[in-house]
Amino acid sequence: MKTGEVFSPHSIMTPAATLIPHCVMRYRGISASAKLLLACMIRHVDADGKCCISQEALAKEIGLTRRRVIDIIKELVAHGFVRQVKPQGAERLRH
């Protein structure tokens, strides 16, 4: 896997386990909360590499506030671990 490639964990994931890439675990530039949120997001990635779960649902799943999830997503984006694409048109109604 190269930097910038979309990570799709479907071929190596099981329903009972969440995988965090080793490079993420070793990386000291992001918080432990960011690593936990990334693991949660990985569980909800589709085959195209898109995470389609609401910020509210992410917050509930790992016991954080929605505001904290938003801040952590910004942290993950700033360090290049995720790309954030704002929904457009009818997609906005689903979020």
Side-chain angles (χ1 to χ4, degrees):
M1 184 169 176
K2 297 178 184 173
T3 302
E5 285 184 346
V6 174
F7 174 67
S8 184
H10 289 276
S11 63
I12 56 174
M13 215 163 100
T14 67
T18 300
L19 301 174
I20 302 174
H22 192 328
C23 61
V24 174
M25 293 302 299
R26 289 190 341 234
Y27 186 69
R28 297 185 185 271
I30 60 173
S31 65
S33 295
K35 293 172 185 180
L36 178 62
L37 181 65
L38 184 60
C40 182
M41 292 172 73
I42 287 171
R43 287 188 62 235
H44 297 282
V45 168
D46 65 16
D48 295 324
K50 296 177 185 173
C51 178
C52 298
I53 182 174
S54 70
Q55 294 166 345
E56 292 86 3
L58 286 169
K60 185 176 180 180
E61 193 165 321
I62 61 174
L64 298 174
T65 65
R66 180 177 176 268
R67 177 72 248 167
R68 183 67 181 124
V69 166
I70 291 168
D71 291 342
I72 295 170
I73 290 171
K74 288 178 185 176
E75 180 182 353
L76 290 168
V77 169
H79 287 269
F81 285 100
V82 298
R83 283 183 294 209
Q84 189 172 27
V85 178
K86 306 263 181 187
Q88 300 291 320
E91 273 293 307
R92 289 178 36 206
L93 301 175
R94 293 182 6 166
H95 294 274

